[in-house]
Amino acid sequence: AELSIVSGDTGTGLQFLQSELDIFQEETGHVVTIVPMPSSTSDQFGQYRLWLAAGNADIDVYQTDVIWAPQLADQFVDLKEAFAEVADQHFPSVIESQTVGDKLVAVPAFTDAPALYYRKDLLEKHGKEVPTTWTELRQTAQEIMEAERAEGNTEIWGYVFQGNAYEGLTCNALEWVNSFGGGQIIEADGTISINNEQAVAALEEAASWVGTIAPQGVLAYGEEEARGVWQLGNAVFMRNWPYAYALSNGDDAAVKGNFDVAPLPAGEGEGAKSSATLGGWNFAVSQYSQNQEAAIELALFLSSAESQKRRAIEQANLPTVQSLYQDEEVLAASPFMAAWEEIFQNAVPRPSAPTQENYNEVSSLFWSAVHNTLSGNGSAAENLEVLEIDLDDLLQ
Amino acid sequence: MTSEAIGAPTAAAQPRQKSELMQQRVRAARLFLLPMMIALAVVAGWPLARSIYFSFTDATLNDLYGAEWIGFGNYLQIRVLESGRTIYRGVLADPAWWNAVWNTVRFAFWSVLWETILGMIVALVLNAEFKGRGIVRAAILIPWAIPTIVSARMWSWMLNDQFGILNDLGMRLGLLNAPVAWTASPDTAMLAVLVVDIWKTTPFMALLILAGLQMIPKDIYEAAEIDGVHPVKQFFRITLPLVRPALMVAIIFRVLDALRIFDLIYVLTPNSAATKTMSVISQENLFQFNNFAEGSAQSTLLFLLIAIFTILYIWLGKVNFDGGDR
Amino acid sequence: MTGSFDLWKLTKGVLFYALVIAIVVIAVFPFYYAILTSFKAGTDLFRINYWPTSFSLANYQSVFSQGAFPRNLLNSVFVASVTVALALFLAVTASFALSRVRFRGRGLLLMTILAVSMFPQIAVLAGLFEVIRFLGIYNTPWALIFAYTIFTLPFTVWVLTTFMRDLPVEIEEAAIVDGATPWVIITQVFMPLMWPALVTTGLLAFIAAWNEFLFALTFTVSNQTRTVPVAIALLSGGSQYEIPWGIIMAASVIVTVPLVALVLIFQRKIVSGLTAGGVKG
Amino acid sequence: MAAIELRNVKKSFGVVNVIKGVDLEVKKGEFMVFVGPSGCGKSTLLRLISGLEDITSGEMLFDGKVVNALTPSKRGIAMVFQSYALYPHMTVYENMAFGLKLEKGHSKEAIRQRVEKAADMLQIRQYLDRLPKQLSGGQRQRVAIGRAITRDPKVFLFDEPLSNLDAALRVATRIEIAKLHEEMNDVTMIYVTHDQVEAMTLADRICVLRDGLVEQVGTPMELYERPDSIFVAGFIGSPKMNFVAGEKASAFSCSTVGIRGEHMDIKPDGIWEGKVIHTENLGADSYVYLDMGQEEPVVVRHDGTTNYQSGSLVRVSPQEDRIHRFNEAGKPIR
Amino acid sequence: MAAIELRNVKKSFGVVNVIKGVDLEVKKGEFMVFVGPSGCGKSTLLRLISGLEDITSGEMLFDGKVVNALTPSKRGIAMVFQSYALYPHMTVYENMAFGLKLEKGHSKEAIRQRVEKAADMLQIRQYLDRLPKQLSGGQRQRVAIGRAITRDPKVFLFDEPLSNLDAALRVATRIEIAKLHEEMNDVTMIYVTHDQVEAMTLADRICVLRDGLVEQVGTPMELYERPDSIFVAGFIGSPKMNFVAGEKASAFSCSTVGIRGEHMDIKPDGIWEGKVIHTENLGADSYVYLDMGQEEPVVVRHDGTTNYQSGSLVRVSPQEDRIHRFNEAGKPIR
Ligand SMILES: Nc1ncnc2c1ncn2[C@@H]1O[C@H](COP(=O)(O)OP(=O)(O)OP(=O)(O)O)[C@@H](O)[C@H]1O
Ligand SMILES: Nc1ncnc2c1ncn2[C@@H]1O[C@H](COP(=O)(O)OP(=O)(O)OP(=O)(O)O)[C@@H](O)[C@H]1O
Ligand SMILES: [Mg+2]
Ligand SMILES: [Mg+2]
């Protein structure tokens, strides 16, 4: 059969996908064409919704972000049965994130979780340890920044993260709240938990960074802006996804060889722990596909352990198959992955499953509240109180 | 001036015997208008009708065809809770919507105002005789020729606080003490959007004004010179009144565009409440959130707002509809 | 002939040229900066320069090696040209009727046409999508050509109507006496006289069609049918979050240069009096 | 049989009646001139004949056939507009050939021959490749005439063709048109003008229009010498006929005496006295403007130059046999 | 002392010399008319005087003071343009008051009085509230003149003010201007025209320009009767002077004989013979065009009406005392 798969993946990612499809074609005889999409996830999401709403039969398989599955659940085929055999090879949290009610909406391709990037050289120079709590991070960052500035390195900042009002901020803030033991905004059972003391403390901590250890402009930063500052050697710490690892080791990067990664710091108080928002991409099969069987076959192929292994080796994407973290070939190709296994232990999903179709709006309300807090527009407590009411209205 | 605008009967007494010539012309007119009307009806009429229809239903993108009619619920709903409290729901009761309305109006006003002023200055410069006018004219048009999604990205790059050249320039020239995160800070986000939009569309305005300027007879300026009219006065008392018709048409198309501004803001400051306009908020509801019907209602309201503005403008501005027919 | 008089003239001249230079610099600088950026690579991108420091064509190579950029360019040229041709054709004939023939409800018609351009683009997206699938032109250039009439047509009709209104009645009557039908009048008499209007609106429509993104993204689903703005959005770096600034700038330069050339070629025609000599001036 | 016949032709624009019932016959090969004050409907009548405007009621016949509904091109007419109305983007040749090309059935060669013949007739052959804007006003007007000629029309319509030209050109082109009429003597020509001289020199017959109605039709000399009304008398001839009313007229037992400037002599024993307001010397002759207590100054034409002091008193006499007498209704007493 | 004096004034546009050294004196209160063929520099010279154009070299004096660098408004001039140049968006009143309002120091009441006085003078009082487009051509031109008058100028400049008007209006407005000159007799007026009649009737002195140089300056009658060159002779008077060269001229021992149409008589024993080309009857007099083997037809003016058959032969004689004789250089032999 002829299939088409839509993918917002990027340059080398597309090449890799093509090579996988070639293998698939060899094995099954199905011909698959790729429909590339812009890398902007919100552009992709809008398009997919429209296409699915109109029952577009031109696309068989969609590549979806973790948070989309529940929102588009109605229009995707249930993969539970087909996936049943291999389900327990994967991280349960990942499978859980793609399950709506009883339906497995998408099967994982790879996963993603952020880490704390730090400057080995600077920590050594100033005799500091890798911080394990946010308070430590703030103090260490502050001290090193001041010392460096005194030495004439005026451009340097302590910490950069993703502070712009967008999905990235939801990820960051979820990590702060969760690491302070403040829950997951909306719990799996649907209760709205965000308005609590721990969450307030977490946001207050974060707000204290802006303008001190982080530039004011961090409020407009996405992943790339943060990486830009970091890669020029102008930040001591950075929160970012694994993709930055290879780039920061590029030949023209000022930080090449001088950095390492660690789990994000933990908060303080009851239930404090390190936590990392779960990212990653999946494959889902359109309900309107005219070749559902073949399409399911394709989705399963792309999430299979073999495919994930090749992906891990060639693309340095984090597999969802647990056993691959011990695989020698994988570790040989991407040694840093070892570090991520620990990070995964603390992975926390965004509340897309309990909120279903409303996730995007929930996320938008959340990041707005957080952004307001960071930019000094209302206190954390006030903003979270209002947020609770808004969420309540939305989800009632 | 709008003597036979909207629907006024034209020639009261039609000639008793319509000649072949008149018949031929009317036939041709019908024939000529038909393809355009069909094209517009299909390409715009149906989608418009659908959008307006959806705004009165509970449609969601997951279930477009199962939409049910709910009347004005998306616009305004009055609900009395069990506790006896009355609450208002719907777009018209949504502060985010009113914020968007305010942003849109503010944006349209300032951008069109500055585009008009700057466009006028540029047009006056281009209207003067000087060496190299052709090249300058082409250079002026460059901002207008660059795709919006590209220029928006270009500017977001230039406005960046760390590697943006504008902050660097500002600091070098001593205009700024510290880099400003133009698109991030709610205080400057609107300013940033305005600057980019003005930069981009001033050439459009300048071009249309220039066309108007070229229609003004030169000898009037000589008469003014003999009357001893100061150049500044010449501009306000002569140029401006005479270029007005061209200006009015240019402004109307610009305002229509500005009120619908979407892509620039979507790329430059996608989620900033300080710049979220009606188009952006309705796009969000239509495609990002699960509020297709509400988004449709917002689009419809935007359409209404623009229509009201246009009618007011044409009425107050006495824009001439009438043709120079025979 | 006093000294101060000359000085005043000189100051005025200097100020004028200063203004011209300021305008040109402001208009061109971002484009210049884009060109500059397109020659940079790697971390260089994050460094601020005012003058070219490094010169690398790598970005341009990537533009042409990723996806099907040349094909997308061709698509854009095709879509924009056909859109403009179609819009001008429909608009010229329609504006003849609107500006030259007296009939009932003309003002209302003009208003209706204007109203079409009052609805936000995103709001018609869903309905338009239905129509396009119904017509069976989904994922073809015709889908875009069809969709683009929604914003090109009202504008061209309005502008051409205003221009055609100003053409001398006598010339039309002379043609009638010569036995010309309305079609002949439009094509052989009016069109040649309306070059400035046709070029101005044609350029505007061309650029609008060339730059359009949202419809192009929605109504095409393969590299073979997409246009350049979508292609630019599809350009990507090595990994998900990486924005390939250098490549985007290179692509933008590639996309903009034809337009600048087009403007340069046509700018002379944009403003001029072609009716000179026909009727008493 | 008349080439063109109008039977009670009326025309209104909306509620305004512009042509109020015109009966007129124009003979084949005749040169008919329409004159009348501004706004009286001259252009409208011409446009009705051309078919550019619809007749509201009445009948229009060409060679005995009703043409009310025929398009201009089918009536076999050609028209020369006041403002030239050349196609600015076409060369002179193309301008002249356009109508023929549209007519079908003419070979390229045939068209060329006809254009060149017309061009020779008007001496514009050397300009055939130029654009209108490269020509002077007079040349443009000749091209417009040439364009009309090439169509080989049965009826030639002119609407003030010379009024945009300067004095010298006007004279030259006027003579051109007169010659044309002589050469194309089976073509009916209708010519609208404001200018007395054109009307007098070109017309076979003049039709004086007033307020949408025909006031008088006749040869120039008939109108000049035997006007049917005070209106026609005042309208034909330049300078305008002088009208003297009141006591002075009673002496001639009528209510108004009309006498042309060239039929008055300044002589010491003149019967009327007037105060010189102003004198104009044109070289060949001169005009003396006199205040004789009438509404308007009385103009006396004088051969050669004169030099009357403004304010001085002179005496004049009308030539008795040249006097026109009008009754109170403005009709002539003969 | 001359009101305006030009001393070796030159003007070039780029490399083109348009005014090639003009010396001219215009006396206070004089009415000076510039005539000359199209493109000879009449308008340019007027614009130099107005200050709208800069002088390339030479000196311009107003009342003895050099004004080379003065702006137009400071020279105390007013100008009436060929194209009216009214402000289309202002009413007649505003058009006329505009210059005064800007001058400061005039009260509203004073302005109103001056405008109304000028409006009365030109009989446009009832149009003061109209816009220019609601006026006919003649009325517009009178508004343009009125606007100039209200400025109370020392020097009045006119550039072909009547050339856009129709014949009747041209006559009426011409007389208006003549009266104006009489009323405002200390105001210097300079007037550019193509039209012989205007030049002859209005001018105190005429300045004939040719190709950027002054050909002759003098009163109309001087130029009419004693032209300094064949160029001036041909240029002044309407219809144009007839020139007869060759054998016929040798009989008068000169290379060209110039004789005006009004100075020739058709008589059986005329010394010259010619073939009638065309006759024009104007009522008061008529013109007979004769082919006498010269480059251009010879025009004979005849009182009253005539009726010579085209193609017939007639004999004419010039009036001996009215003959102008020119040598080969085009200079008169007296
Ligand atoms: N299209 C029209 N609509 C209404 N009224 C018109 C129209 N055309 C002409 N008229 C009126 O008809 C009358 C006669 O106009 P017409 O142009 O025939 O006059 P005319 O004798 O040619 O005058 P002129 O000598 O000034 O050219 C005028 O009062 C004019 O206002
Ligand atoms: N701004 C200018 N630049 C270049 N040449 C000019 C300019 N203005 C006038 N000329 C030239 O100067 C010459 C004289 O022009 P001017 O207008 O004074 O003639 P004119 O005597 O008024 O003619 P007309 O009777 O046709 O109005 C013409 O050959 C004209 O082409
Ligand atoms: Mg007329
Ligand atoms: Mg001139």
Side-chain angles (χ1 to χ4, degrees), chain E residues 47-58:
Chain E
R47 292 163 60 81
L48 289 176
I49 295 173
S50 75
L52 285 171
E53 283 315 333
D54 283 341
I55 293 173
T56 306
S57 76

Side-chain angles (χ1 to χ4, degrees), chain A residues 9-13 34-39 41 43 47 50-51 54-59 112 223-224 227-228 231-232 240-241 243 247 252-254 281 315, chain C residues 41-44 46-47 66 125-126 129-130 133 138-139 213-214 217-223 226 230 233-245:
Chain A
D9 213 336
T10 50
T12 54
I34 302 178
V35 176
M37 289 296 287
S39 54
T41 50
D43 281 357
Q47 287 310 308
L50 181 59
W51 283 342
N56 187 352
D58 291 312
I59 310 286
D112 218 354
E223 282 82 2
E224 274 301 86
R227 182 176 72 86
Q231 204 162 309
L232 285 171
N240 218 326
W241 306 91
Y243 88 98
L247 290 169
D252 55 358
W281 287 78
Q315 286 295 103
Chain C
T43 312
D44 252 1
F46 297 103
R47 302 206 172 92
Q66 279 194 25
L125 206 54
F129 190 67
E130 289 175 354
R133 287 178 58 83
Y138 179 65
N139 197 22
F213 173 72
L214 196 57
L217 178 62
T218 312
F219 302 142
T220 56
V221 283
S222 76
N223 271 340
R226 281 173 168 160
V230 182
L234 288 177
L235 292 172
S236 54
S239 52
Q240 202 209 322
Y241 300 103
E242 201 183 335
I243 301 174
W245 283 111

Side-chain angles (χ1 to χ4, degrees), chain B residues 4 7 43 51 94 98 112 142 150 162 174 179 205 227 253 274 277:
Chain B
E4 55 136 342
V43 81
S51 261
D94 182 0
W98 289 111
V112 176
I142 283 181
V150 171
Q162 295 298 315
M205 206 71 171
D227 270 345
F253 273 95
T277 59

Side-chain angles (χ1 to χ4, degrees), chain E residues 320-333:
Chain E
E320 300 263 337
D321 56 335
R322 295 297 202 159
I323 277 179
H324 301 261
R325 296 182 304 148
F326 298 96
N327 63 18
E328 269 155 33
K331 292 289 161 205
I333 306 171

